């Protein structure tokens, strides 16, 4: 799951604010070793770039529906509409996420509200994996715009710039047993019956076992995120991701309303 490195093809178009979120986001093409692909290119600061790279690598290593991500070189002349690149006047590295066919859920539920998100998640059998993943990477930003839903079995998890406690995290923020917002849990859990909660807890336990097999140090290197961090920060982030696995069962059991009470996962 090594992040491929490539170049932005000139001519990408800037998305409007309603479609792109906080960061400058362009839709266009990137050239990577696998070929030329259509992708969303996000110009952001180093901390958010680290978050995207590592979370994408971890999510895909679990087999979750996270689009392929790339680390791409971009020059001001490639994206003349970028205020950030124009301000710095030099080339930079950006994150690119391969385009998928699913529409943006945010546009589909804007009028109806978050209850629609819960209803759509009900139709997705593997929502527990996404909830567990967001808990693991401390992603409190899984709002409607960060879930693409084309229908049952056609769901994609995008935009991980706010993982690992937030877009501007410091080492002091990386508390392995910390509890942060989990929007999938908040939208899905209130309607569950007790048998459904017990089944969700069983699935959570199974996924946590799989997390323990992931070498987080190797993932940090494969994601290329460690190239953008001082060694002490990279070490702290790797320790956080590794150590947090042992706390997930208790945290999610509490969210499910079925505390662990000292039992084994």
């Amino acid at each position: 799951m090594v992040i491929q490195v490539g170049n932005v093809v000139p001519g990408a178009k800037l998305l409007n604010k309603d479609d792109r979120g906080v960061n400058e986001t362009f839709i266009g093409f990137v050239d990577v070793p696998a070929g030329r692909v259509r992708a969303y290119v996000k110009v952001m600061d180093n901390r958010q770039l680290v978050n995207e790279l590592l979370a994408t690598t971890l999510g895909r290593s679990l087999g979750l529906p996270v689009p392929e991500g790339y680390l791409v070189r971009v020059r001001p002349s490639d994206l003349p509409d970028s205020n950030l690149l124009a301000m710095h006047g030099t080339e930079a590295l950006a994150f690119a996420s391969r385009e998928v066919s699913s529409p943006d859920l945010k546009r589909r539920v804007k009028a109806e509200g978050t209850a629609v998100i819960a209803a759509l998640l009900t139709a997705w059998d593997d929502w527990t994996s996404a909830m567990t993943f967001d808990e693991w990477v401390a992603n409190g930003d899984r709002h409607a715009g960060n879930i693409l839903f084309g229908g049952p079995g056609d769901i994609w998890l995008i935009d991980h710039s706010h993982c690992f406690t937030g877009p501007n995290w410091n080492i002091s923020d990386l508390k392995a047993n910390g509890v942060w917002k989990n929007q999938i849990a908040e939208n899905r859990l209130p309607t569950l019956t007790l048998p459904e909660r017990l089944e969700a807890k069983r699935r959570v336990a199974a996924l946590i076992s799989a997390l323990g097999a992931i070498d987080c140090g190797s993932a940090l290197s494969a994601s290329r995120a460690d190239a953008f961090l001082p060694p002490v920060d990279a070490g702290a982030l790797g320790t956080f991701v590794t150590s947090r696995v042992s706390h997930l069962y208790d945290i999610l059991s509490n969210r499910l309303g079925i505390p662990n009470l000292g039992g084994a996962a």
Side-chain angles (χ1 to χ4, degrees), residues 145-182:
N146 293 338
I147 305 174
L148 306 185
F149 190 98
D154 186 19
I155 286 183
W156 293 88
L157 307 175
I158 65 167
D159 197 342
H160 298 94
S161 62
H162 285 57
C163 288
F164 310 112
T165 77
N168 300 301
W169 58 265
N170 294 307
I171 290 178
S172 60
D173 300 319
L174 301 176
K175 298 179 173 62
N177 63 345
V179 178
W180 293 274
K181 191 176 183 69
N182 188 318

Side-chain angles (χ1 to χ4, degrees), residues 21-49:
V22 175
N23 294 299
E24 284 188 346
T25 304
F26 297 78
I27 180 67
F29 291 90
V30 298
D31 285 333
V32 295
R36 178 165 291 187
V37 298
R38 187 168 168 85
Y40 292 96
V41 179
K42 299 173 66 176
V43 182
M44 60 186 72
D45 63 33
N46 277 4
R47 234 21 162 211
Q48 293 183 69
L49 179 59

Side-chain angles (χ1 to χ4, degrees), residues 79-215:
L79 302 177
D81 293 328
S82 171
N83 291 326
L84 288 175
L85 290 176
M87 183 188 312
H88 293 286
T90 185
E91 69 179 37
L93 292 171
F95 181 76
S97 178
R98 187 164 190 160
E99 183 187 40
V100 294
S101 59
S102 303
D104 188 335
L105 178 59
K106 177 173 58 180
R107 290 195 287 270
R108 301 185 62 177
V109 304
K110 187 177 295 183
E112 292 91 345
T114 57
V116 176
I117 303 175
L120 293 174
L121 288 174
T122 301
W124 185 29
D125 187 55
D126 204 28
W127 64 269
T128 50
S129 292
M131 177 184 69
T132 304
F133 173 67
D134 279 353
E135 199 72 60
W136 184 31
V137 298
N139 179 19
D141 195 45
R142 186 73 66 200
H143 55 71
N146 293 338
I147 305 174
L148 306 185
F149 190 98
D154 186 19
I155 286 183
W156 293 88
L157 307 175
I158 65 167
D159 197 342
H160 298 94
S161 62
H162 285 57
C163 288
F164 310 112
T165 77
N168 300 301
W169 58 265
N170 294 307
I171 290 178
S172 60
D173 300 319
L174 301 176
K175 298 179 173 62
N177 63 345
V179 178
W180 293 274
K181 191 176 183 69
N182 188 318
Q183 296 205 37
I184 289 182
E186 291 176 6
N187 281 294
R188 184 68 182 93
L189 300 187
T191 61
L192 294 185
T193 64
L194 179 56
E196 289 171 332
R197 288 170 185 266
L198 290 169
E199 173 60 15
K201 186 171 181 177
R202 184 193 67 78
R203 292 190 177 199
V204 163
L207 183 62
I208 291 172
S209 295
L211 297 185
I214 294 177
D215 184 332

